[in-house]
Each structure stands twice: as C-alpha cells, then as structure tokens.
Amino acid sequence: MPVLYDRLLKLKEMFNSKFGSIPKFYVRAPGRVNIIGEHIDYCGYSVLPMAVEQDVLIAVEPVKTYALQLANTNPLYPDFSTSANNIQIDKTKPLWHNYFLCGLKGIQEHFGLSNLTGMNCLVDGNIPPSSGLSSSSALVCCAGLVTLTVLGRNLSKVELAEICAKSERYIGTEGGGMDQSISFLAEEGTAKLIEFSPLRATDVKLPSGAVFVIANSCVEMNKAATSHFNIRVMECRLAAKIPFLCGGLQTGCWNSGVCHLCILFGELLAKYKSLQWDKVLRLEEVQAKLGISLEEMLLVTEDALHPEPYNPEEICRCLGISLEELRTQILSPNTQDVLIFKLYQRAKHVYSEAARVLQFKKICEEAPENMVQLLGELMNQSHMSCRDMYECSCPELDQLVDICRKFGAQGSRLTGAGWGGCTVSIVPADKLPSFLANVHKAYYQRSDGSLAPEKQSLFATKPGGGALVFLEA
Ligand code: GLA
C-alpha cells in the first residue's frame, strides 16, 4: 500500500492546486487481465479474469451547486465541465470524460434522480489506455462508485457491476459485463470465474508454480473508436438465430433419420421452433433452452451454419425480415453497413472458448502435476481460436505470443478485446527472470539497438483487489 498512499497524497496536493480545496474522499477501481474466456461474456458465457494492480483513482469533493468539474492528472486529457443535471454522452467520439459520465448516468438513472449535486473530481489513472486491460471500464466503475458515495446511498457490488456494465453501453459499444464485474468483485490473491444471469464470482486458485505475465503489443485499439467490436457482437446475435431458421436443420434429417445427430437435430429443431426467435439474443440462451452440451452445440453449428460468410440479404431471407428491420431491430448504429457476417466461425469460437473456460477452472481445482502445461495449452488454443475463428488478433499480437512461447511461456494469448493491446502468458516461476529479459530484448528492442521506453509494457501480475472508497489520505 505505500505506493497507493503516496499516490493519494500527491493527488490531494494536485487537487488542492486545481480546485483550491481538499478532497472529501477517494475512489479506486482496478483494470483487469482476462486469463481465458474472450468475447464470450456478451454471449452469456462465463469468463475467468483477475484484477491487476493498475487502476483509476479519483479524488472527489461534492459541491453545493450542480456544476460537475472533471480534471485529469494526465495532460493529454483536457478538463471538462457540465451541469450534473444535464448529462449528455457523445457517442461519436470516445472522449475520456464520456466514460465518467457513463458511470454517473448509470447511478443517476438507477435511483431515478433527475437532479444530482455537483462535484469536483481529479482523475489519475495508470492503466495503459487502449491496451486491453480495461482502462475505460475502470473509469466507468470508479465514476459509478464516486456518484453513489456523493449521494450517500448503498448498493451491492453485484448491483454496481450490473449498472456500470449497462451504462458503459452509452458510449456505443455493446460490451458484456466482464470488465465491470471483476473491477467490483475482485479480491486480492485470487482470479475469479465470473458467471452471468445471475451475476456471480467464484474464486479460482491459480497455480503457485507459475506467474502470469502481461506484455503490451504497443498497438493501440480503442473498441469504441471502430466498429470491429460491435460487428462481432452482432454476428453472435445473428448466429443465435440463423441455424434454426435457415440452416441445415430445417431440411430435417440428412442421414436417413437414424443416427444420433439426426435424432438430436430433429428434437432440437422442434424445440427451437417453439421458442420465440426474436426474443433469443444470446448463444448461451439457445444452449440453455435446448439443454445440450457445448460439444453438441459445436456439432450443431458445424452442420447448421455454412463457413462461407452470410450477406445481409441471406440473413433477411432466413429471418423473414426486411433489410430495414435487420438494421433497426438487430444491428447497432455502427454496424448498419456491414456486408459480411461470419456466423459459423464466430459461433465455433464462442462454444469452444466457453468450454475452455470450464476446463481451465477444473484443472485449477484438481491441480494435477502437469497443470501449468495443461493451462498453457488451453491458453494457446484460445489464442488460435481468437486469431483464426474470431479474427480479433493482429500481426503484432501473433508475433508477441510466439516470442513469449519461445522464451518459456507454457501458454500465451491475446487478452481483452484484441486487434491490439496486450497478451497474457503463463510462465513457470523459475523461468521468469530469463523470460522477461528475453522477451524484452526480442520484442521491445528497436532496430538501433535501444529498448523501447515503455517500462509498463512487460510485467508479471498477481490477482489484485476490487474497487474501494477511501475517506482520507
Ligand atoms: C471488452 C469488453 C468485454 C469483453 C472483452 C472481450 O473488454 O468490454 O465485455 O467482451 O472485450 O472478451
């Protein structure tokens, strides 16, 4: 805690010189690294993240007016002020203060308040931005807890996580709830299996003989600034509907109706038809309603979806809707003009990744002798699936995971949304010093021989604690 204490003191001084007063309280919310379970939370499947030590820290002073004044210790993020009873979130630009406003608006709406008291806030973050370590959700969560504290109200951590997951969508991205859940529910010393509907977190004891290492590819990816992320969410949404309305299943039994699969498919089709397809939004709901295993869902996907991409016309034909209905009822504003939807590949990633999360947890519980190797294999498979089926990697991330494996990682994968950002690797504890030295040299050394200055780029991490309020520094 001495580092945090020093940061709090420094923040207090900066607050004083900015606003001419002393903060009344401080809130911290951590970033996270997702160990396994990528791009499946918004499909309803469990994920396995842990909080990192890096966080967002906010010094706060409630004021008697409606003025909300935000400042940031990082000069790259300009001051912002508005009236706390007229919160407008601009979806067109993911500006830093909009994430604060998301958290604030979520709490405001939860309590049905039209007027909020104002506040002065100084924000200090040390999570590398756009790196897949969830700096934006940490800010949303921190702002949610700040607002709750200013109001003098109480909510459980689960309620806070659910509110913040929902309110971050004001920024325009259709994220799941992983980042906000771990930011509130994390506990020092343990990773968590986060399950949804209902939201809950269970401890997962990581192997003592291994260390998790984060490496930044230094390719920045802000998921709110492009449509990559939302396209995947839409593809998963469509993959939950199409197989049963248009896929091979509709033609009935193609194996004379005698094999196990044909009988299974026939039953599934009947069941699925009794569901209201327009109500089925997530892949997990489809599986739960059909009552079959993830492995069976993979078989269904292979037979019922075709690997060739779907175009909007085919999708409309399958669903029996117009292009206009597809756009207004299913697609998000920033995916209206997408021409290609890879439903087969996305669904296969989701079901296989969901299964890997459960296997990872089981291995951690059973702790076999070769557990580090087994966990590493699952992480490697996860990366392959993200790269080939979900197409959310990039050449730099692929190169970085190769380097990490070459220098001793048992497994290495991209973490977070992808398309840039960080990797996470599982490294046997005795190999850590040589691993860090070699990876540093291999990935961060520039052509002139000097090392990239980013000291935050490659580091071992341990499961950290969740969001907190401090009353004084
Ligand atoms: C982002 C989202 C999460 C999750 C990950 C990918 O971090 O905010 O909800 O979907 O991407 O696993």
Side-chain angles (χ1 to χ4, degrees), residues 331-363:
L331 300 181
S332 68
N334 68 346
T335 57
Q336 302 276 306
D337 300 321
V338 176
L339 296 176
I340 276 182
F341 298 93
K342 296 194 180 175
L343 308 187
Y344 171 92
Q345 292 81 351
R346 310 313 182 218
K348 281 198 68 173
H349 166 77
V350 170
Y351 293 128
S352 64
E353 185 75 354
R356 281 187 286 274
V357 171
L358 302 180
Q359 288 163 27
F360 195 100
K361 176 170 181 271
K362 192 160 173 264
I363 295 169

Short mmCIF file of all heavy atoms in Angstrom, two decimals, residues 331-363:
data_model
loop_
_atom_site.label_atom_id
_atom_site.label_comp_id
_atom_site.label_asym_id
_atom_site.label_seq_id
_atom_site.Cartn_x
_atom_site.Cartn_y
_atom_site.Cartn_z
N LEU A 331 -29.26 -4.79 -35.71
CA LEU A 331 -27.91 -4.21 -35.79
C LEU A 331 -27.77 -2.91 -34.98
O LEU A 331 -28.75 -2.18 -34.80
CB LEU A 331 -27.57 -3.93 -37.26
CG LEU A 331 -27.55 -5.16 -38.18
CD1 LEU A 331 -27.17 -4.76 -39.60
CD2 LEU A 331 -26.61 -6.24 -37.66
N SER A 332 -26.55 -2.66 -34.52
CA SER A 332 -26.27 -1.42 -33.78
C SER A 332 -26.03 -0.29 -34.79
O SER A 332 -25.76 -0.57 -35.97
CB SER A 332 -25.02 -1.61 -32.92
OG SER A 332 -23.89 -1.74 -33.77
N PRO A 333 -26.09 0.97 -34.35
CA PRO A 333 -25.91 2.08 -35.30
C PRO A 333 -24.61 1.98 -36.10
O PRO A 333 -24.59 2.31 -37.28
CB PRO A 333 -25.90 3.32 -34.40
CG PRO A 333 -26.68 2.90 -33.20
CD PRO A 333 -26.45 1.43 -33.02
N ASN A 334 -23.51 1.50 -35.47
CA ASN A 334 -22.26 1.49 -36.24
C ASN A 334 -22.00 0.19 -37.03
O ASN A 334 -20.90 -0.05 -37.51
CB ASN A 334 -21.05 1.84 -35.34
CG ASN A 334 -20.77 0.76 -34.31
OD1 ASN A 334 -21.59 -0.12 -34.07
ND2 ASN A 334 -19.60 0.83 -33.70
N THR A 335 -23.03 -0.66 -37.15
CA THR A 335 -22.84 -1.87 -37.97
C THR A 335 -23.87 -1.96 -39.10
O THR A 335 -24.05 -3.02 -39.71
CB THR A 335 -22.92 -3.17 -37.11
OG1 THR A 335 -24.18 -3.18 -36.44
CG2 THR A 335 -21.81 -3.23 -36.09
N GLN A 336 -24.54 -0.86 -39.35
CA GLN A 336 -25.62 -0.83 -40.35
C GLN A 336 -25.16 -1.20 -41.75
O GLN A 336 -25.91 -1.75 -42.52
CB GLN A 336 -26.22 0.59 -40.41
CG GLN A 336 -26.76 1.06 -39.08
CD GLN A 336 -28.17 0.55 -38.84
OE1 GLN A 336 -29.03 0.76 -39.65
NE2 GLN A 336 -28.37 -0.13 -37.73
N ASP A 337 -23.90 -0.87 -42.07
CA ASP A 337 -23.46 -1.07 -43.46
C ASP A 337 -22.56 -2.29 -43.64
O ASP A 337 -21.92 -2.43 -44.67
CB ASP A 337 -22.73 0.19 -43.96
CG ASP A 337 -23.66 1.38 -43.89
OD1 ASP A 337 -24.85 1.20 -44.21
OD2 ASP A 337 -23.21 2.48 -43.48
N VAL A 338 -22.53 -3.16 -42.64
CA VAL A 338 -21.67 -4.35 -42.75
C VAL A 338 -22.24 -5.28 -43.84
O VAL A 338 -23.45 -5.51 -43.90
CB VAL A 338 -21.61 -5.09 -41.39
CG1 VAL A 338 -20.81 -6.37 -41.49
CG2 VAL A 338 -21.01 -4.17 -40.33
N LEU A 339 -21.36 -5.79 -44.68
CA LEU A 339 -21.83 -6.60 -45.82
C LEU A 339 -21.58 -8.08 -45.64
O LEU A 339 -22.10 -8.92 -46.37
CB LEU A 339 -21.14 -6.13 -47.12
CG LEU A 339 -21.49 -4.69 -47.53
CD1 LEU A 339 -20.70 -4.27 -48.74
CD2 LEU A 339 -22.99 -4.58 -47.78
N ILE A 340 -20.73 -8.42 -44.64
CA ILE A 340 -20.33 -9.82 -44.48
C ILE A 340 -20.44 -10.22 -43.01
O ILE A 340 -19.91 -9.52 -42.14
CB ILE A 340 -18.87 -9.94 -44.97
CG1 ILE A 340 -18.86 -10.13 -46.47
CG2 ILE A 340 -18.14 -11.06 -44.29
CD1 ILE A 340 -17.49 -10.31 -47.02
N PHE A 341 -21.10 -11.31 -42.73
CA PHE A 341 -21.23 -11.80 -41.36
C PHE A 341 -20.73 -13.24 -41.32
O PHE A 341 -21.31 -14.11 -41.97
CB PHE A 341 -22.68 -11.75 -40.91
CG PHE A 341 -23.27 -10.36 -40.89
CD1 PHE A 341 -23.95 -9.87 -41.99
CD2 PHE A 341 -23.14 -9.55 -39.77
CE1 PHE A 341 -24.49 -8.59 -41.99
CE2 PHE A 341 -23.68 -8.27 -39.75
CZ PHE A 341 -24.36 -7.78 -40.86
N LYS A 342 -19.66 -13.49 -40.53
CA LYS A 342 -19.11 -14.85 -40.47
C LYS A 342 -19.69 -15.59 -39.27
O LYS A 342 -19.05 -15.70 -38.21
CB LYS A 342 -17.58 -14.76 -40.39
CG LYS A 342 -16.95 -14.14 -41.63
CD LYS A 342 -15.47 -14.39 -41.64
CE LYS A 342 -14.81 -13.79 -42.86
NZ LYS A 342 -13.35 -13.93 -42.82
N LEU A 343 -20.87 -16.08 -39.43
CA LEU A 343 -21.59 -16.66 -38.29
C LEU A 343 -21.01 -18.00 -37.84
O LEU A 343 -20.90 -18.26 -36.64
CB LEU A 343 -23.07 -16.84 -38.65
CG LEU A 343 -23.77 -15.60 -39.21
CD1 LEU A 343 -25.25 -15.86 -39.37
CD2 LEU A 343 -23.53 -14.39 -38.32
N TYR A 344 -20.62 -18.83 -38.78
CA TYR A 344 -20.09 -20.17 -38.48
C TYR A 344 -18.83 -20.04 -37.60
O TYR A 344 -18.72 -20.63 -36.54
CB TYR A 344 -19.78 -20.86 -39.81
CG TYR A 344 -19.04 -22.16 -39.74
CD1 TYR A 344 -19.73 -23.37 -39.69
CD2 TYR A 344 -17.64 -22.21 -39.78
CE1 TYR A 344 -19.06 -24.58 -39.66
CE2 TYR A 344 -16.97 -23.42 -39.76
CZ TYR A 344 -17.68 -24.60 -39.69
OH TYR A 344 -17.01 -25.80 -39.67
N GLN A 345 -17.89 -19.21 -38.08
CA GLN A 345 -16.61 -19.06 -37.39
C GLN A 345 -16.81 -18.46 -35.99
O GLN A 345 -16.20 -18.90 -35.02
CB GLN A 345 -15.67 -18.15 -38.19
CG GLN A 345 -15.19 -18.72 -39.50
CD GLN A 345 -16.20 -18.59 -40.64
OE1 GLN A 345 -17.36 -18.22 -40.46
NE2 GLN A 345 -15.76 -18.91 -41.85
N ARG A 346 -17.69 -17.46 -35.91
CA ARG A 346 -17.87 -16.80 -34.60
C ARG A 346 -18.52 -17.75 -33.59
O ARG A 346 -18.12 -17.82 -32.44
CB ARG A 346 -18.72 -15.53 -34.73
CG ARG A 346 -18.31 -14.55 -35.82
CD ARG A 346 -16.84 -14.22 -35.89
NE ARG A 346 -16.58 -13.24 -36.95
CZ ARG A 346 -15.55 -13.23 -37.74
NH1 ARG A 346 -14.60 -14.15 -37.62
NH2 ARG A 346 -15.40 -12.30 -38.66
N ALA A 347 -19.54 -18.48 -34.05
CA ALA A 347 -20.22 -19.39 -33.12
C ALA A 347 -19.26 -20.50 -32.67
O ALA A 347 -19.23 -20.87 -31.49
CB ALA A 347 -21.46 -20.00 -33.79
N LYS A 348 -18.43 -20.98 -33.59
CA LYS A 348 -17.48 -22.04 -33.20
C LYS A 348 -16.50 -21.52 -32.16
O LYS A 348 -16.17 -22.20 -31.20
CB LYS A 348 -16.73 -22.57 -34.43
CG LYS A 348 -17.60 -23.54 -35.21
CD LYS A 348 -16.80 -24.39 -36.15
CE LYS A 348 -15.91 -25.36 -35.41
NZ LYS A 348 -15.24 -26.30 -36.30
N HIS A 349 -16.03 -20.29 -32.34
CA HIS A 349 -15.14 -19.72 -31.32
C HIS A 349 -15.85 -19.67 -29.97
O HIS A 349 -15.31 -20.09 -28.95
CB HIS A 349 -14.67 -18.31 -31.70
CG HIS A 349 -14.05 -17.60 -30.53
ND1 HIS A 349 -12.77 -17.88 -30.08
CD2 HIS A 349 -14.55 -16.68 -29.66
CE1 HIS A 349 -12.51 -17.15 -29.00
NE2 HIS A 349 -13.58 -16.41 -28.73
N VAL A 350 -17.05 -19.14 -29.98
CA VAL A 350 -17.75 -18.91 -28.70
C VAL A 350 -17.96 -20.23 -27.94
O VAL A 350 -17.63 -20.34 -26.76
CB VAL A 350 -19.09 -18.18 -28.94
CG1 VAL A 350 -19.94 -18.16 -27.67
CG2 VAL A 350 -18.83 -16.76 -29.43
N TYR A 351 -18.49 -21.24 -28.63
CA TYR A 351 -18.76 -22.50 -27.91
C TYR A 351 -17.46 -23.18 -27.45
O TYR A 351 -17.40 -23.73 -26.36
CB TYR A 351 -19.58 -23.45 -28.79
CG TYR A 351 -20.99 -22.93 -29.04
CD1 TYR A 351 -21.50 -22.83 -30.34
CD2 TYR A 351 -21.81 -22.54 -27.99
CE1 TYR A 351 -22.80 -22.36 -30.57
CE2 TYR A 351 -23.09 -22.05 -28.21
CZ TYR A 351 -23.58 -21.97 -29.51
OH TYR A 351 -24.84 -21.49 -29.72
N SER A 352 -16.42 -23.12 -28.29
CA SER A 352 -15.19 -23.80 -27.87
C SER A 352 -14.50 -23.02 -26.75
O SER A 352 -13.97 -23.59 -25.80
CB SER A 352 -14.25 -24.01 -29.06
OG SER A 352 -13.82 -22.77 -29.58
N GLU A 353 -14.55 -21.70 -26.82
CA GLU A 353 -13.92 -20.88 -25.78
C GLU A 353 -14.67 -21.05 -24.44
O GLU A 353 -14.05 -21.13 -23.38
CB GLU A 353 -13.92 -19.40 -26.21
CG GLU A 353 -13.20 -18.44 -25.29
CD GLU A 353 -11.67 -18.50 -25.36
OE1 GLU A 353 -11.11 -19.38 -26.05
OE2 GLU A 353 -11.03 -17.67 -24.67
N ALA A 354 -15.99 -21.12 -24.52
CA ALA A 354 -16.78 -21.33 -23.30
C ALA A 354 -16.37 -22.66 -22.64
O ALA A 354 -16.24 -22.74 -21.41
CB ALA A 354 -18.26 -21.31 -23.62
N ALA A 355 -16.13 -23.66 -23.46
CA ALA A 355 -15.73 -24.97 -22.92
C ALA A 355 -14.33 -24.87 -22.30
O ALA A 355 -14.05 -25.46 -21.25
CB ALA A 355 -15.76 -26.02 -24.02
N ARG A 356 -13.45 -24.09 -22.94
CA ARG A 356 -12.07 -23.96 -22.40
C ARG A 356 -12.07 -23.29 -21.02
O ARG A 356 -11.28 -23.65 -20.15
CB ARG A 356 -11.19 -23.16 -23.38
CG ARG A 356 -10.68 -23.98 -24.54
CD ARG A 356 -9.67 -23.21 -25.38
NE ARG A 356 -10.28 -22.19 -26.19
CZ ARG A 356 -10.80 -22.40 -27.41
NH1 ARG A 356 -10.77 -23.60 -27.95
NH2 ARG A 356 -11.34 -21.40 -28.08
N VAL A 357 -12.95 -22.34 -20.82
CA VAL A 357 -13.02 -21.67 -19.51
C VAL A 357 -13.35 -22.71 -18.43
O VAL A 357 -12.71 -22.74 -17.37
CB VAL A 357 -14.09 -20.54 -19.53
CG1 VAL A 357 -14.34 -20.00 -18.14
CG2 VAL A 357 -13.66 -19.42 -20.47
N LEU A 358 -14.32 -23.57 -18.72
CA LEU A 358 -14.71 -24.57 -17.72
C LEU A 358 -13.58 -25.57 -17.48
O LEU A 358 -13.33 -25.97 -16.34
CB LEU A 358 -16.00 -25.28 -18.16
CG LEU A 358 -17.19 -24.32 -18.39
CD1 LEU A 358 -18.43 -25.08 -18.83
CD2 LEU A 358 -17.49 -23.51 -17.12
N GLN A 359 -12.88 -25.92 -18.56
CA GLN A 359 -11.75 -26.86 -18.39
C GLN A 359 -10.64 -26.20 -17.56
O GLN A 359 -10.02 -26.83 -16.71
CB GLN A 359 -11.17 -27.25 -19.75
CG GLN A 359 -12.07 -28.19 -20.55
CD GLN A 359 -11.66 -28.22 -22.03
OE1 GLN A 359 -10.52 -27.98 -22.38
NE2 GLN A 359 -12.63 -28.48 -22.89
N PHE A 360 -10.39 -24.92 -17.81
CA PHE A 360 -9.34 -24.19 -17.09
C PHE A 360 -9.65 -24.21 -15.58
O PHE A 360 -8.79 -24.52 -14.76
CB PHE A 360 -9.29 -22.75 -17.61
CG PHE A 360 -8.05 -21.98 -17.22
CD1 PHE A 360 -6.99 -21.84 -18.12
CD2 PHE A 360 -7.93 -21.38 -15.97
CE1 PHE A 360 -5.85 -21.12 -17.77
CE2 PHE A 360 -6.79 -20.67 -15.62
CZ PHE A 360 -5.76 -20.54 -16.53
N LYS A 361 -10.90 -23.91 -15.27
CA LYS A 361 -11.29 -23.87 -13.85
C LYS A 361 -11.13 -25.26 -13.22
O LYS A 361 -10.63 -25.39 -12.10
CB LYS A 361 -12.73 -23.40 -13.74
CG LYS A 361 -13.24 -23.41 -12.31
CD LYS A 361 -14.57 -22.72 -12.18
CE LYS A 361 -15.04 -22.74 -10.76
NZ LYS A 361 -15.83 -23.93 -10.44
N LYS A 362 -11.54 -26.28 -13.97
CA LYS A 362 -11.48 -27.65 -13.44
C LYS A 362 -10.01 -28.03 -13.16
O LYS A 362 -9.70 -28.61 -12.10
CB LYS A 362 -12.10 -28.59 -14.48
CG LYS A 362 -12.37 -29.97 -13.99
CD LYS A 362 -13.41 -30.64 -14.88
CE LYS A 362 -13.59 -32.09 -14.52
NZ LYS A 362 -12.78 -32.99 -15.35
N ILE A 363 -9.13 -27.69 -14.08
CA ILE A 363 -7.71 -28.01 -13.88
C ILE A 363 -7.18 -27.29 -12.64
O ILE A 363 -6.44 -27.86 -11.83
CB ILE A 363 -6.88 -27.67 -15.14
CG1 ILE A 363 -7.32 -28.55 -16.31
CG2 ILE A 363 -5.37 -27.82 -14.88
CD1 ILE A 363 -6.78 -28.14 -17.66
#
